[in-house]
């Protein structure tokens, strides 16, 4: 049986319309994984500083936010750790500059490539600053890591003054299908 001309026209108009009305596939949402509180306390820094953290989710680390009182800009790296020392660079991002803000500004740093992370593994957020900045710190509220600094171009120093950088990590979790 041959389709009539109105039927063909109707189908050719309806199919694209149905396509437009169909729901989009669900996007995988990122979640806040690890964080410390924002604070008005700051530390004057230049050079290379960092914060170690223990991943709570397995998946892809998409971005970090860092609290700066004032930022001269710079680069951010996510690094693996070996014996408590940052080693292999897994992802990088650009830290934007920001004017002075008394209680700090959360600066978003998208990472490329998305960094794979495994729950329970310790990583480092390493910030390379070209000039003096004022970073937000908080009194040792994060038990899963510590503030670190590259000293003298030769070694990592672990802060013992009980402060952590103010930070947040965001992960797009990997969900595994389960069978019963």
């Amino acid at each position: 049986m041959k389709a009539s001309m109105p039927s063909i026209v109707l189908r050719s108009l309806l199919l694209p319309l149905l396509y437009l009305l169909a729901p989009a596939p669900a996007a995988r949402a990122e979640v806040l994984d690890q964080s410390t509180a924002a604070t008005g306390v700051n530390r004057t820094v230049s050079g290379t500083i960092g914060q170690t953290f223990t991943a709570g989710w397995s998946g892809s680390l998409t971005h970090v936010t860092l609290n700066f009182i004032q930022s001269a800009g710079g680069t951010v790296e996510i690094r693996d750790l070996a014996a408590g020392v940052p080693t292999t660079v897994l992802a990088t991002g650009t830290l934007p500059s920001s004017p002075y803000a008394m209680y700090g500004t959360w600066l978003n740093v998208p990472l490329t490539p998305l960094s794979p992370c495994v729950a329970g593994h310790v990583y480092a957020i390493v910030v390379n600053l070209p000039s003096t900045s004022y970073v937000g710190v908080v009194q040792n509220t994060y038990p899963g890591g510590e503030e670190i600094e590259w000293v003298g171009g030769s070694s990592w120093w672990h802060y013992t003054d009980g402060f952590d950088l103010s930070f947040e990590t965001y992960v797009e979790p990997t969900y595994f299908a389960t069978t019963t």
Side-chain angles (χ1 to χ4, degrees):
M1 175 190 250
K2 192 172 183 182
S4 69
M5 185 59 124
S7 172
I8 292 172
V9 170
L10 184 60
R11 275 190 242 157
S12 65
L13 293 174
L14 267 178
L15 287 175
L17 183 61
L18 289 174
Y19 176 77
L20 290 173
L21 295 175
R28 290 174 45 182
E30 61 186 17
V31 296
L32 173 62
D33 185 23
Q34 302 297 301
S35 67
T36 59
T39 179
V41 178
N42 69 73
R43 184 186 305 281
T44 304
V45 294
S46 61
T48 302
I49 61 166
Q51 172 71 40
T52 61
F53 68 95
T54 304
W57 286 89
S58 291
S60 297
L61 187 59
T62 60
H63 71 277
V64 297
T65 57
L66 300 166
N67 188 273
F68 272 79
I69 309 305
Q70 182 177 5
S71 166
T75 59
V76 173
E77 301 168 338
I78 301 301
R79 293 190 186 190
D80 203 359
L81 258 68
V85 176
T87 56
T88 307
V89 175
L90 303 174
T92 61
T94 300
L95 178 71
S97 59
S98 69
Y100 178 83
M102 182 177 283
Y103 295 103
T105 301
W106 286 101
L107 302 177
N108 183 43
V109 182
L111 300 169
T112 56
L114 298 182
S115 177
C117 61
V118 177
H121 189 76
V122 181
Y123 300 92
I125 301 166
V126 174
V127 184
N128 300 296
L129 301 164
S131 60
T132 302
S133 294
Y134 303 92
V135 64
V137 293
V138 63
Q139 185 73 41
N140 202 19
T141 60
Y142 182 70
E146 62 185 347
E147 184 181 1
I148 55 176
E149 182 176 2
W150 183 247
V151 179
S154 62
S155 64
W156 285 97
W157 185 61
H158 300 260
Y159 277 90
T160 57
D161 63 358
F163 282 91
D164 291 299
L165 296 183
S166 295
F167 76 98
E168 298 173 332
T169 62
Y170 290 84
V171 172
E172 185 178 272
T174 301
Y175 296 100
F176 298 99
T178 59
T179 56
T180 54

